[in-house]
Amino acid sequence: MRATNRLSAKGISAAAPGKYADGGGLWFVKRDDGGAQWVLRVTIHGRRREMGLGAFPAVGLGEARRKADEARAKVRDSVDPIKDRERQRREAARKLHLFQDIAQDAFESRKAALKGDGQAGRWFSPLALHVLPKLGKIPVSEIDQIDIRDTLLPIWHTKSETARKALRRIGICIKHAAALGLPVDLQAVEKADALLGKSRHKAEHIPAMRWQDVPSFYASLNEGSTAHLALRLLILTGVRSSPLRHMHEDQMDGDIWTIPGEKMKGRRDATPDYRVPLVPEALDIIEQARRVSRSGFLFPSVRKGVISDATMARLMERRKMEARPHGFRTSLRVWLAETTDARYEVAETMLAHTVGSAVERTYKRTDFLEQRRILLLRWADHVTGKTGKVLQLASAQ
Protein backbone atom coordinates (compact mmCIF):
# COMPACT_ATOMS: atom_id res chain seq x y z
CA MET A 1 0.00 0.00 0.00
CA ARG A 2 1.21 3.48 -0.82
CA ALA A 3 2.55 5.53 2.16
CA THR A 4 0.77 8.69 0.94
CA ASN A 5 -1.93 9.69 -1.55
CA ARG A 6 -4.03 6.67 -0.70
CA LEU A 7 -7.40 8.33 -1.24
CA SER A 8 -9.18 9.31 -4.43
CA ALA A 9 -11.60 12.17 -5.09
CA LYS A 10 -14.28 9.73 -6.22
CA GLY A 11 -13.78 7.51 -3.20
CA ILE A 12 -14.10 10.22 -0.56
CA SER A 13 -17.24 11.61 -2.19
CA ALA A 14 -18.96 8.25 -1.75
CA ALA A 15 -17.36 7.37 1.59
CA ALA A 16 -19.47 6.21 4.52
CA PRO A 17 -19.09 7.84 7.95
CA GLY A 18 -15.66 7.12 9.42
CA LYS A 19 -11.96 8.06 9.31
CA TYR A 20 -9.87 7.48 6.19
CA ALA A 21 -6.07 7.85 6.06
CA ASP A 22 -4.43 9.48 3.03
CA GLY A 23 -1.01 8.83 4.52
CA GLY A 24 1.62 11.03 6.12
CA GLY A 25 -0.77 11.90 8.97
CA LEU A 26 -3.54 13.29 6.69
CA TRP A 27 -7.01 12.01 7.50
CA PHE A 28 -10.41 12.42 5.90
CA VAL A 29 -13.13 12.37 8.59
CA LYS A 30 -16.73 11.74 7.47
CA ARG A 31 -19.40 12.46 10.10
CA ASP A 32 -22.75 10.75 10.58
CA ASP A 33 -24.58 13.94 9.57
CA GLY A 34 -22.93 13.85 6.14
CA GLY A 35 -20.39 16.60 6.81
CA ALA A 36 -16.67 15.98 6.46
CA GLN A 37 -13.33 17.64 7.19
CA TRP A 38 -9.60 17.19 6.80
CA VAL A 39 -7.32 16.61 9.79
CA LEU A 40 -3.53 16.43 9.85
CA ARG A 41 -1.74 14.67 12.68
CA VAL A 42 1.81 15.81 13.33
CA THR A 43 4.37 15.46 16.11
CA ILE A 44 6.22 18.63 17.05
CA HIS A 45 8.56 19.13 20.01
CA GLY A 46 7.60 15.68 21.26
CA ARG A 47 3.88 16.50 21.25
CA ARG A 48 1.26 14.98 18.99
CA ARG A 49 -1.00 17.65 17.51
CA GLU A 50 -4.10 17.55 15.31
CA MET A 51 -4.54 20.38 12.85
CA GLY A 52 -7.76 21.05 10.97
CA LEU A 53 -7.21 21.78 7.28
CA GLY A 54 -10.75 22.73 6.33
CA ALA A 55 -14.16 21.28 5.57
CA PHE A 56 -14.96 19.08 2.57
CA PRO A 57 -15.96 19.76 -0.19
CA ALA A 58 -14.84 23.43 0.17
CA VAL A 59 -11.33 22.03 0.57
CA GLY A 60 -10.84 19.29 -1.96
CA LEU A 61 -8.38 16.40 -1.91
CA GLY A 62 -5.67 18.25 -3.86
CA GLU A 63 -5.83 21.36 -1.65
CA ALA A 64 -5.81 19.24 1.51
CA ARG A 65 -2.64 17.51 0.37
CA ARG A 66 -1.00 20.86 -0.45
CA LYS A 67 -1.85 22.23 2.99
CA ALA A 68 -0.56 19.04 4.59
CA ASP A 69 2.75 19.32 2.69
CA GLU A 70 3.18 22.95 3.86
CA ALA A 71 2.51 21.97 7.47
CA ARG A 72 4.92 19.02 7.32
CA ALA A 73 7.63 21.33 5.92
CA LYS A 74 7.21 23.60 8.93
CA VAL A 75 7.47 20.63 11.28
CA ARG A 76 10.75 19.67 9.62
CA ASP A 77 11.96 23.19 10.42
CA SER A 78 10.84 22.73 14.06
CA VAL A 79 7.95 25.21 13.61
CA ASP A 80 4.60 24.37 15.14
CA PRO A 81 2.21 24.75 12.16
CA ILE A 82 -0.81 25.32 14.40
CA LYS A 83 0.82 28.13 16.37
CA ASP A 84 2.23 29.60 13.16
CA ARG A 85 -1.23 29.64 11.59
CA GLU A 86 -2.68 31.41 14.63
CA ARG A 87 0.11 33.97 14.46
CA GLN A 88 -0.66 34.64 10.80
CA ARG A 89 -4.36 35.01 11.61
CA ARG A 90 -3.59 37.55 14.32
CA GLU A 91 -1.38 39.54 11.96
CA ALA A 92 -4.06 39.46 9.28
CA ALA A 93 -6.67 40.63 11.80
CA ARG A 94 -4.45 43.52 12.84
CA LYS A 95 -4.20 44.59 9.22
CA LEU A 96 -7.96 44.50 8.79
CA HIS A 97 -8.67 47.41 11.16
CA LEU A 98 -10.48 49.74 8.78
CA PHE A 99 -9.62 53.42 8.88
CA GLN A 100 -13.26 54.35 9.54
CA ASP A 101 -13.25 52.23 12.72
CA ILE A 102 -9.96 53.72 13.89
CA ALA A 103 -11.26 57.24 13.20
CA GLN A 104 -14.41 56.62 15.22
CA ASP A 105 -12.42 55.11 18.09
CA ALA A 106 -10.00 58.06 18.06
CA PHE A 107 -12.94 60.47 18.18
CA GLU A 108 -14.57 58.63 21.08
CA SER A 109 -11.33 58.67 23.08
CA ARG A 110 -10.98 62.45 22.63
CA LYS A 111 -14.63 63.47 22.82
CA ALA A 112 -14.56 64.33 26.52
CA ALA A 113 -11.74 66.83 25.89
CA LEU A 114 -13.61 68.54 23.06
CA LYS A 115 -15.94 71.47 23.49
CA GLY A 116 -19.41 70.14 24.29
CA ASP A 117 -18.02 66.58 24.18
CA GLY A 118 -17.79 67.01 20.42
CA GLN A 119 -21.56 66.75 20.13
CA ALA A 120 -21.69 69.27 17.31
CA GLY A 121 -19.53 66.88 15.29
CA ARG A 122 -17.12 69.60 14.19
CA TRP A 123 -14.03 67.57 15.08
CA PHE A 124 -15.22 64.58 13.08
CA SER A 125 -16.85 66.40 10.15
CA PRO A 126 -13.64 66.97 8.08
CA LEU A 127 -13.07 63.21 8.23
CA ALA A 128 -16.69 62.28 7.58
CA LEU A 129 -17.05 64.64 4.61
CA HIS A 130 -13.69 64.45 2.88
CA VAL A 131 -11.72 61.42 4.09
CA LEU A 132 -13.91 58.46 5.04
CA PRO A 133 -15.75 58.27 1.70
CA LYS A 134 -12.37 57.44 0.09
CA LEU A 135 -10.26 55.88 2.84
CA GLY A 136 -12.88 54.58 5.29
CA LYS A 137 -12.97 51.00 3.95
CA ILE A 138 -9.18 50.67 3.70
CA PRO A 139 -7.21 48.94 6.50
CA VAL A 140 -5.35 51.64 8.38
CA SER A 141 -2.06 49.76 8.04
CA GLU A 142 -2.27 50.02 4.25
CA ILE A 143 -2.78 53.79 4.10
CA ASP A 144 0.26 55.70 2.86
CA GLN A 145 1.12 59.24 1.83
CA ILE A 146 -0.11 58.68 -1.72
CA ASP A 147 -3.58 57.70 -0.47
CA ILE A 148 -3.71 60.77 1.78
CA ARG A 149 -2.49 63.09 -0.97
CA ASP A 150 -5.01 61.79 -3.51
CA THR A 151 -7.81 62.12 -0.96
CA LEU A 152 -7.12 65.74 -0.01
CA LEU A 153 -5.84 67.10 -3.32
CA PRO A 154 -9.36 67.98 -4.65
CA ILE A 155 -9.87 70.45 -1.76
CA TRP A 156 -6.27 71.40 -1.01
CA HIS A 157 -6.37 74.64 -3.01
CA THR A 158 -10.09 75.44 -2.71
CA LYS A 159 -10.92 74.58 0.89
CA SER A 160 -7.51 75.04 2.43
CA GLU A 161 -8.51 75.33 6.09
CA THR A 162 -10.82 72.31 5.90
CA ALA A 163 -8.14 70.29 4.12
CA ARG A 164 -5.60 71.22 6.80
CA LYS A 165 -8.01 70.14 9.53
CA ALA A 166 -8.63 66.85 7.73
CA LEU A 167 -4.87 66.26 7.43
CA ARG A 168 -4.38 66.88 11.15
CA ARG A 169 -7.26 64.53 11.99
CA ILE A 170 -5.75 61.80 9.81
CA GLY A 171 -2.49 62.22 11.73
CA ILE A 172 -4.30 61.82 15.04
CA CYS A 173 -6.03 58.68 13.77
CA ILE A 174 -2.78 57.13 12.59
CA LYS A 175 -1.12 57.85 15.94
CA HIS A 176 -4.15 56.31 17.63
CA ALA A 177 -3.73 53.19 15.49
CA ALA A 178 -0.05 53.03 16.43
CA ALA A 179 -0.99 53.22 20.12
CA LEU A 180 -3.27 50.23 19.53
CA GLY A 181 -0.26 48.28 18.27
CA LEU A 182 -1.18 48.39 14.58
CA PRO A 183 1.57 48.54 11.93
CA VAL A 184 1.16 52.04 10.48
CA ASP A 185 3.44 54.64 8.92
CA LEU A 186 3.67 57.45 11.47
CA GLN A 187 5.29 59.71 8.88
CA ALA A 188 2.58 59.26 6.25
CA VAL A 189 0.89 62.59 7.04
CA GLU A 190 4.16 64.52 6.98
CA LYS A 191 5.04 62.94 3.63
CA ALA A 192 1.57 63.71 2.26
CA ASP A 193 1.95 67.33 3.36
CA ALA A 194 5.19 67.55 1.41
CA LEU A 195 3.54 66.03 -1.67
CA LEU A 196 0.56 68.38 -1.50
CA GLY A 197 2.74 71.46 -1.31
CA LYS A 198 1.72 74.98 -0.41
CA SER A 199 -1.93 75.81 -0.89
CA ARG A 200 -2.84 78.52 -3.39
CA HIS A 201 -5.97 79.34 -1.42
CA LYS A 202 -6.05 82.74 0.24
CA ALA A 203 -7.79 82.81 3.59
CA GLU A 204 -10.83 85.05 3.71
CA HIS A 205 -11.25 86.96 6.92
CA ILE A 206 -14.67 87.27 8.51
CA PRO A 207 -16.14 90.61 7.38
CA ALA A 208 -15.96 93.19 10.14
CA MET A 209 -17.69 96.53 10.64
CA ARG A 210 -15.54 99.64 10.87
CA TRP A 211 -15.33 100.73 14.49
CA GLN A 212 -16.59 104.15 13.44
CA ASP A 213 -19.85 102.55 12.22
CA VAL A 214 -20.52 100.43 15.31
CA PRO A 215 -22.43 103.13 17.29
CA SER A 216 -25.16 103.53 14.66
CA PHE A 217 -25.61 99.77 14.39
CA TYR A 218 -25.67 99.40 18.17
CA ALA A 219 -28.38 102.08 18.40
CA SER A 220 -30.50 100.18 15.86
CA LEU A 221 -30.62 97.14 18.17
CA ASN A 222 -33.44 98.66 20.19
CA GLU A 223 -36.21 96.06 20.18
CA GLY A 224 -35.18 94.34 23.41
CA SER A 225 -35.43 90.92 21.72
CA THR A 226 -33.08 88.11 22.66
CA ALA A 227 -31.13 88.50 19.41
CA HIS A 228 -30.82 92.28 19.85
CA LEU A 229 -29.70 91.98 23.46
CA ALA A 230 -27.21 89.23 22.62
CA LEU A 231 -25.69 91.27 19.82
CA ARG A 232 -25.40 94.32 22.05
CA LEU A 233 -23.59 92.35 24.76
CA LEU A 234 -21.39 90.67 22.15
CA ILE A 235 -20.29 94.10 20.91
CA LEU A 236 -19.69 95.49 24.40
CA THR A 237 -17.62 92.55 25.71
CA GLY A 238 -15.69 91.46 22.61
CA VAL A 239 -16.18 87.79 23.46
CA ARG A 240 -16.86 85.01 20.97
CA SER A 241 -20.38 83.92 20.11
CA SER A 242 -20.38 80.52 21.83
CA PRO A 243 -19.60 81.59 25.43
CA LEU A 244 -22.00 84.52 25.08
CA ARG A 245 -24.85 82.34 23.81
CA HIS A 246 -24.25 79.95 26.72
CA MET A 247 -23.95 82.74 29.31
CA HIS A 248 -25.38 81.46 32.61
CA GLU A 249 -26.25 83.05 35.95
CA ASP A 250 -23.76 80.75 37.68
CA GLN A 251 -20.93 82.39 35.74
CA MET A 252 -21.58 85.88 37.10
CA ASP A 253 -20.43 87.43 40.34
CA GLY A 254 -21.35 91.10 40.58
CA ASP A 255 -19.70 92.90 37.69
CA ILE A 256 -17.43 89.97 36.77
CA TRP A 257 -18.44 87.32 34.26
CA THR A 258 -16.20 84.23 34.41
CA ILE A 259 -16.20 82.03 31.32
CA PRO A 260 -15.12 78.46 32.22
CA GLY A 261 -11.91 77.34 30.53
CA GLU A 262 -13.68 74.44 28.80
CA LYS A 263 -15.93 76.94 27.00
CA MET A 264 -13.00 78.83 25.50
CA LYS A 265 -11.87 78.28 21.93
CA GLY A 266 -9.04 75.77 21.53
CA ARG A 267 -9.77 74.29 24.93
CA ARG A 268 -7.00 72.38 26.68
CA ASP A 269 -7.14 70.67 30.04
CA ALA A 270 -5.08 73.50 31.56
CA THR A 271 -7.03 76.34 29.92
CA PRO A 272 -7.74 78.89 32.68
CA ASP A 273 -11.09 80.52 33.23
CA TYR A 274 -11.45 83.89 31.51
CA ARG A 275 -12.80 86.89 33.43
CA VAL A 276 -14.78 89.56 31.65
CA PRO A 277 -15.36 92.90 33.45
CA LEU A 278 -18.97 93.99 32.98
CA VAL A 279 -19.40 97.73 32.51
CA PRO A 280 -22.68 99.43 33.54
CA GLU A 281 -24.07 99.30 29.99
CA ALA A 282 -23.43 95.53 29.89
CA LEU A 283 -25.04 95.04 33.31
CA ASP A 284 -28.12 96.89 32.11
CA ILE A 285 -28.42 94.53 29.12
CA ILE A 286 -28.03 91.53 31.42
CA GLU A 287 -30.88 92.79 33.59
CA GLN A 288 -33.08 93.06 30.50
CA ALA A 289 -32.07 89.56 29.38
CA ARG A 290 -32.98 88.10 32.76
CA ARG A 291 -36.65 88.83 32.03
CA VAL A 292 -36.66 86.12 29.34
CA SER A 293 -33.96 83.83 30.76
CA ARG A 294 -34.66 80.13 31.16
CA SER A 295 -32.92 77.60 33.43
CA GLY A 296 -30.32 80.25 34.22
CA PHE A 297 -29.37 80.83 30.56
CA LEU A 298 -29.70 84.49 29.58
CA PHE A 299 -30.19 83.90 25.86
CA PRO A 300 -32.51 80.89 25.52
CA SER A 301 -33.88 79.61 22.24
CA VAL A 302 -37.60 79.74 21.56
CA ARG A 303 -37.84 75.95 21.74
CA LYS A 304 -35.00 74.55 23.85
CA GLY A 305 -31.39 75.24 24.69
CA VAL A 306 -29.83 78.57 23.76
CA ILE A 307 -29.98 80.65 20.61
CA SER A 308 -28.07 79.17 17.69
CA ASP A 309 -24.81 80.42 16.25
CA ALA A 310 -26.72 81.70 13.22
CA THR A 311 -29.37 83.73 15.06
CA MET A 312 -27.33 86.92 15.24
CA ALA A 313 -25.73 86.40 11.83
CA ARG A 314 -29.12 86.10 10.13
CA LEU A 315 -30.24 89.35 11.68
CA MET A 316 -27.31 91.08 9.96
CA GLU A 317 -27.92 89.16 6.74
CA ARG A 318 -31.52 90.30 6.61
CA ARG A 319 -30.26 93.89 6.80
CA LYS A 320 -28.08 93.21 3.74
CA MET A 321 -24.94 93.75 5.80
CA GLU A 322 -21.59 92.26 4.83
CA ALA A 323 -20.22 92.26 8.39
CA ARG A 324 -20.83 89.34 10.72
CA PRO A 325 -21.08 89.08 14.55
CA HIS A 326 -17.60 87.63 14.97
CA GLY A 327 -16.24 90.66 13.13
CA PHE A 328 -17.03 92.92 16.10
CA ARG A 329 -13.95 91.45 17.78
CA THR A 330 -11.95 92.93 14.90
CA SER A 331 -13.82 96.25 15.29
CA LEU A 332 -12.80 96.34 18.96
CA ARG A 333 -9.19 95.35 18.22
CA VAL A 334 -8.75 98.01 15.54
CA TRP A 335 -10.35 100.63 17.82
CA LEU A 336 -7.85 99.69 20.54
CA ALA A 337 -4.96 100.06 18.10
CA GLU A 338 -6.11 103.35 16.57
CA THR A 339 -7.56 105.24 19.52
CA THR A 340 -5.73 104.00 22.63
CA ASP A 341 -2.17 103.40 23.77
CA ALA A 342 -3.08 100.02 25.27
CA ARG A 343 -0.08 97.70 25.39
CA TYR A 344 -0.11 94.77 22.99
CA GLU A 345 -0.54 92.13 25.69
CA VAL A 346 -3.48 94.03 27.22
CA ALA A 347 -5.20 94.47 23.85
CA GLU A 348 -4.73 90.80 22.98
CA THR A 349 -6.01 89.71 26.37
CA MET A 350 -9.13 91.78 25.67
CA LEU A 351 -9.89 89.20 22.96
CA ALA A 352 -8.80 86.23 25.12
CA HIS A 353 -5.83 85.59 22.83
CA THR A 354 -2.87 83.70 24.23
CA VAL A 355 0.12 85.99 24.63
CA GLY A 356 3.72 84.88 25.15
CA SER A 357 5.22 81.46 25.72
CA ALA A 358 4.09 79.01 28.36
CA VAL A 359 7.06 80.02 30.51
CA GLU A 360 6.21 83.72 30.20
CA ARG A 361 2.60 83.06 31.15
CA THR A 362 3.73 81.07 34.18
CA TYR A 363 5.55 84.07 35.63
CA LYS A 364 3.20 86.78 34.38
CA ARG A 365 0.15 85.75 36.39
CA THR A 366 -2.23 88.55 35.49
CA ASP A 367 -5.20 88.94 33.19
CA PHE A 368 -5.02 92.76 33.24
CA LEU A 369 -8.58 92.84 34.58
CA GLU A 370 -8.63 96.45 35.77
CA GLN A 371 -6.89 97.79 32.68
CA ARG A 372 -9.37 95.91 30.53
CA ARG A 373 -12.23 97.35 32.58
CA ILE A 374 -11.06 100.90 31.81
CA LEU A 375 -10.78 100.09 28.11
CA LEU A 376 -14.22 98.47 28.00
CA LEU A 377 -15.73 101.51 29.74
CA ARG A 378 -14.33 103.72 26.99
CA TRP A 379 -15.42 101.24 24.32
CA ALA A 380 -18.95 101.30 25.76
CA ASP A 381 -18.87 105.11 25.66
CA HIS A 382 -17.90 104.96 22.00
CA VAL A 383 -20.45 102.28 21.14
CA THR A 384 -23.29 104.18 22.83
CA GLY A 385 -22.24 107.44 21.18
CA LYS A 386 -21.20 109.21 24.39
CA THR A 387 -17.67 110.10 23.37
CA GLY A 388 -15.21 109.90 20.57
CA LYS A 389 -12.13 110.95 22.49
CA VAL A 390 -8.87 109.15 22.10
CA LEU A 391 -7.91 107.31 25.30
CA GLN A 392 -4.45 107.53 26.82
CA LEU A 393 -3.74 104.80 29.37
CA ALA A 394 -1.26 105.24 32.15
CA SER A 395 1.50 102.65 31.86
CA ALA A 396 0.94 99.83 34.34
CA GLN A 397 3.30 97.11 35.38
Side-chain angles (χ1 to χ4, degrees):
M1 183 178 288
R2 289 175 296 175
T4 57
N5 298 343
R6 299 176 184 176
L7 302 177
S8 67
K10 184 177 181 180
I12 60 177
S13 296
K19 296 181 180 180
Y20 302 87
D22 187 57
L26 179 61
W27 290 79
F28 178 73
V29 180
K30 187 71 173 286
R31 301 191 304 272
D32 292 336
D33 62 5
Q37 70 241 28
W38 298 98
V39 175
L40 178 66
R41 293 174 180 171
V42 297
T43 300
I44 180 73
H45 305 315
R47 297 173 58 199
R48 186 173 179 178
R49 312 285 310 270
E50 286 195 355
M51 180 180 182
L53 299 182
F56 178 83
V59 177
L61 178 59
E63 185 178 356
R65 286 171 175 168
R66 179 182 60 78
K67 288 184 174 184
D69 286 341
E70 291 174 355
R72 294 187 195 105
K74 290 179 180 179
V75 170
R76 288 194 295 272
D77 291 335
S78 297
V79 175
D80 187 328
I82 298 176
K83 288 186 176 181
D84 187 62
R85 182 172 64 182
E86 289 302 315
R87 179 187 59 78
Q88 292 180 21
R89 285 176 177 172
R90 287 194 299 270
E91 289 183 356
R94 288 171 66 186
K95 293 181 179 180
L96 286 177
H97 282 84
L98 302 183
F99 183 79
Q100 62 186 17
D101 298 326
I102 294 297
Q104 188 63 49
D105 193 49
F107 173 59
E108 292 296 329
S109 69
R110 285 157 177 77
K111 197 161 64 171
L114 299 173
K115 194 177 295 183
D117 284 342
Q119 291 176 358
R122 291 182 179 178
W123 190 94
F124 201 74
S125 61
L127 292 172
L129 293 175
H130 303 289
V131 178
L132 297 187
K134 295 182 179 179
L135 300 182
K137 301 292 186 181
I138 299 178
V140 67
S141 59
E142 295 181 10
I143 292 176
D144 60 19
Q145 65 270 24
I146 305 299
D147 298 317
I148 299 172
R149 180 201 63 183
D150 294 346
T151 297
L152 297 182
L153 189 58
I155 63 171
W156 192 250
H157 299 294
T158 57
K159 299 179 180 178
S160 179
E161 183 60 28
T162 299
R164 279 284 172 193
K165 287 181 180 179
L167 186 64
R168 289 194 293 269
R169 304 292 193 271
I170 292 172
I172 290 172
C173 292
I174 289 178
K175 289 179 181 178
H176 187 79
L180 291 173
L182 303 179
V184 293
D185 182 0
L186 287 171
Q187 295 182 326
V189 167
E190 184 178 349
K191 296 173 186 174
D193 192 13
L195 291 174
L196 287 163
K198 186 176 180 179
S199 173
R200 295 190 298 268
H201 177 72
K202 293 183 179 180
E204 295 182 2
H205 298 293
I206 297 174
M209 186 179 295
R210 294 189 327 134
W211 62 266
Q212 295 91 336
D213 299 330
V214 174
S216 60
F217 177 71
Y218 185 89
S220 72
L221 301 171
N222 54 12
E223 295 180 2
S225 65
T226 299
H228 280 214
L229 292 174
L231 261 174
R232 280 196 163 192
L233 194 59
L234 185 81
I235 293 170
L236 287 170
T237 58
V239 301
R240 294 182 174 87
S241 170
S242 179
L244 182 127
R245 292 184 297 107
H246 292 87
M247 190 175 189
H248 195 277
E249 290 283 2
D250 292 344
Q251 299 171 358
M252 285 179 284
D253 182 10
D255 61 358
I256 299 293
W257 168 28
T258 301
I259 303 175
E262 64 267 19
K263 299 295 183 183
M264 300 299 291
K265 182 180 178 180
R267 169 195 171 180
R268 298 291 185 273
D269 291 340
T271 300
D273 295 344
Y274 178 69
R275 297 190 299 172
V276 181
L278 298 170
V279 300
E281 178 75 10
L283 290 171
D284 180 60
I285 293 172
I286 290 170
E287 282 303 316
Q288 295 180 58
R290 282 180 170 135
R291 300 169 190 167
V292 294
S293 66
R294 185 172 63 236
S295 301
F297 289 103
L298 270 68
F299 303 108
S301 173
V302 175
R303 296 181 180 177
K304 63 178 181 178
V306 299
I307 58 174
S308 72
D309 196 33
T311 300
M312 293 179 283
R314 286 173 182 161
L315 184 152
M316 301 179 77
E317 288 175 2
R318 287 194 295 269
R319 295 189 181 187
K320 309 298 183 182
M321 302 176 70
E322 182 181 353
R324 290 296 175 263
H326 190 82
F328 288 115
R329 288 168 54 79
T330 300
S331 305
L332 171 58
R333 186 63 180 88
V334 175
W335 174 84
L336 286 167
E338 294 186 353
T339 70
T340 79
D341 64 348
R343 304 202 320 270
Y344 172 80
E345 57 265 39
V346 178
E348 287 296 287
T349 305
M350 291 276 285
L351 301 181
H353 288 165
T354 300
V355 181
S357 66
V359 174
E360 289 176 305
R361 295 194 300 275
T362 298
Y363 287 98
K364 200 167 195 174
R365 300 178 183 178
T366 177
D367 60 0
F368 307 105
L369 182 67
E370 293 309 317
Q371 292 187 60
R372 289 191 290 124
R373 185 190 301 279
I374 295 172
L375 289 166
L376 285 178
L377 279 167
R378 291 305 306 242
W379 172 242
D381 282 346
H382 165 69
V383 165
T384 57
K386 294 178 182 177
T387 180
K389 294 180 181 179
V390 174
L391 172 65
Q392 300 293 326
L393 283 181
S395 178
Q397 299 298 324

